Amino acid sequence: MNRVSKEEKTFKFFLVSRASRSVALIFVTLSLPLYLFALHYNIISIGIIYFVIMAFNAGLSLLLGALGDRIGYKKSLIIGEVFPLAALILLTLSVNFFAIVIAAIIGGIAGAAGGMRGTFSPGSTALIVSNWKDSKERVKKLADTTYVGSAFAIFGSLMLYFKAFFVNSVGIIDSFRILFGLSAFMIFISLFALLFVAEVKRPKKTTRVMKRQSIHYSIKVIIANSFNGLGLGMAVPLLPLWFELRFGVNSSLIGIIYTISYAATALAAFAASRKAYSPRFSTLFTASYTRALQGVMLIIIAFSPLFILSSLFFTIRSFIAGFGSPSRSAVNMSGVDSQDYGTASSVMGLANRLAQTSSGLSGYLMDVSLPFPVLFGGVLQTVGGFIYFKVLSQNKKRVYKR
């Protein structure tokens, strides 16, 4: 009879952490542009704020990942939860503009509000690939994590929907603040659950940064991911506000659309976890073509004349994202040495987040023509999918198993 490892037994606590974190960060990520707009800040100013948020978050991600290689990924995850917890407490207690901006910056409360938004944080992917060595098992665990995070993201978007029930009694600003407080409590649950997660003994760090093989492979991933980051930053962070301005819909309806999209992401991640062990399943091909298809969906959304059509294609895009994300996470780490998982994942994340500072352009492009940020973002992500396959297929025989 096979003995179940501590890592396997305590994986449920990791999933609890990802679930509660997802509820909180999905609500805040969806709400922040709407909240700032409700406070009468124009879309250009909001775009600039998002630029600063992305830049700070990129540096913090790099620091936490490198720290994880030395002290353990579990500890870096716990430290990382302190920042959104402090940010959400600040958002709950203050309506001062500078306090809101500081909270958004230190909490990293920005980015693509997809089903994986709250699921992964600096050190989470590194923890999984460190605890499980087999590539198929990694994809399975990443898919399970994506499935749980996306499923609970539904509750985050439902919080945005039910915000309307508070508006009549406390007003629109305080209705946001009440739910920011609830989100802070969910982050606390995430932090507490991480205390019970087991981690394999880390190999001793023998380099200051990374081994040469890890550096070379990371550069390839960064090149492949840069187009995707530019496209995501331009199209997705302000998408809830884009829906409101383009079609005149309210936050409750936006919450419903995101709820449906998260259900699609969770369903796709569940399918990916079952498909991972199939002999015909190609990790690299799946990672690449799903990224390209996500970009195609954005292009279609940009030109959709009706909200219901945009919503339909947005849901399809979310399904595609949920199916491809576990494979991309596994591919990104496949050529990295085990002692460099944290630094490598953070360097890759740093490049992606820096690329997403293109969100600063989103407000300007939206001001020129509403379809522009979604259209240009979609084109960049489509191109990024093909580049991802081209660049990383050079390592296919050595790294991937079909």
Side-chain angles (χ1 to χ4, degrees):
M1 185 175 179
N2 293 331
R3 180 175 175 271
V4 179
S5 66
K6 286 184 178 180
E7 296 76 41
E8 192 70 42
K9 287 180 179 178
T10 61
F11 184 62
K12 59 187 176 183
F13 290 106
F14 181 75
L15 294 180
V16 169
S17 168
R18 301 303 90 182
S20 57
R21 188 177 198 274
S22 189
V23 174
L25 289 193
I26 284 297
F27 170 72
V28 183
T29 304
L30 286 172
S31 297
L32 187 62
L34 302 174
Y35 183 53
L36 292 172
F37 197 66
L39 289 170
H40 306 296
Y41 299 105
N42 61 53
I43 56 175
I44 295 176
S45 298
I46 294 172
I48 294 172
I49 292 169
Y50 267 64
F51 171 83
V52 179
I53 294 170
M54 295 292 191
F56 178 86
N57 199 31
L60 180 62
S61 174
L62 178 62
L63 175 64
L64 291 174
L67 189 64
D69 284 337
R70 289 162 173 79
I71 68 172
Y73 304 126
K74 170 184 171 179
K75 291 179 181 177
S76 68
L77 282 167
I78 291 171
I79 294 170
E81 293 298 72
V82 173
F83 290 90
L85 179 60
L88 283 165
I89 291 173
L90 191 56
L91 281 174
T92 303
L93 297 177
S94 178
V95 293
N96 178 271
F97 172 73
F98 293 104
I100 292 169
V101 173
I102 290 171
I105 291 172
I106 65 172
I109 305 169
M116 285 81 75
R117 173 64 187 88
T119 306
F120 294 101
S121 56
S124 55
T125 299
L127 178 70
I128 291 174
V129 298
S130 178
N131 281 357
W132 289 274
K133 307 302 180 185
D134 180 72
S135 61
K136 298 291 187 182
E137 188 65 23
R138 286 174 176 175
V139 173
K140 173 70 165 55
K141 286 293 187 289
L142 289 163
D144 287 342
T145 303
T146 303
Y147 164 68
V148 169
S150 300
F152 277 83
I154 292 171
F155 295 99
S157 57
L158 284 176
M159 284 169 64
L160 181 60
Y161 171 76
F162 286 110
K163 179 190 71 67
F165 293 94
F166 294 98
V167 172
N168 290 335
S169 57
V170 299
I172 187 169
I173 302 302
D174 284 342
S175 65
F176 277 112
R177 293 174 65 193
I178 289 170
L179 294 173
F180 288 151
L182 178 58
S183 298
F185 177 70
M186 299 305 295
I187 291 292
F188 176 78
I189 293 175
S190 173
L191 191 156
F192 186 72
L194 287 172
L195 297 175
F196 302 96
V197 174
E199 181 180 3
V200 298
K201 186 177 180 181
R202 298 285 311 126
K204 185 177 180 181
K205 187 76 172 174
T206 60
T207 59
R208 289 185 177 181
V209 185
M210 288 189 288
K211 286 187 174 182
R212 183 175 297 179
Q213 73 171 69
S214 299
I215 293 173
H216 288 170
Y217 189 79
S218 296
I219 290 172
K220 290 186 176 183
V221 175
I222 288 169
I223 292 171
N225 283 343
S226 59
F227 284 87
N228 181 69
L230 287 168
L232 278 179
M234 200 172 293
V236 180
L238 298 185
L239 199 56
L241 179 58
W242 185 85
F243 278 129
E244 180 178 310
L245 296 176
R246 177 73 188 273
F247 300 107
V249 295
N250 59 34
S251 60
S252 293
L253 189 53
I254 293 170
I256 291 174
I257 295 307
Y258 274 88
T259 298
I260 296 170
S261 75
Y262 298 147
T265 302
L267 181 63
F270 180 79
S273 72
R274 297 299 179 268
K275 192 75 173 175
Y277 293 108
S278 171
R280 292 188 174 186
F281 184 77
S282 170
T283 307
L284 177 59
F285 183 72
T286 301
S288 304
Y289 84 79
T290 52
R291 173 167 285 177
L293 286 175
Q294 284 177 256
V296 172
M297 291 300 108
L298 282 176
I299 295 171
I300 295 173
I301 290 169
F303 289 110
S304 297
L306 300 174
F307 177 66
I308 190 170
L309 288 177
S310 287
S311 303
L312 173 63
F313 289 113
F314 181 63
T315 301
I316 294 172
R317 181 183 183 275
S318 299
F319 183 91
I320 295 168
F323 191 82
S325 178
S327 293
R328 277 192 296 277
S329 296
V331 168
N332 290 349
M333 292 289 101
S334 293
V336 176
D337 188 89
S338 60
Q339 67 174 260
D340 299 325
Y341 287 147
T343 304
S345 61
S346 292
V347 168
M348 294 172 193
L350 172 67
N352 195 45
R353 286 179 175 86
L354 286 176
Q356 287 187 45
T357 57
S358 60
S359 59
L361 291 173
S362 186
Y364 287 99
L365 289 172
M366 210 181 296
D367 193 50
V368 174
S369 177
L370 279 175
F372 276 5
V374 181
L375 170 61
F376 295 154
V379 171
L380 285 168
Q381 191 172 38
T382 302
V383 171
F386 291 109
I387 292 176
Y388 190 89
F389 184 82
K390 179 68 175 176
V391 172
L392 297 180
S393 62
Q394 298 168 10
N395 291 68
K396 182 170 61 174
K397 291 182 179 179
R398 181 170 63 85
V399 177
Y400 310 114
K401 294 180 180 180
R402 291 186 67 92

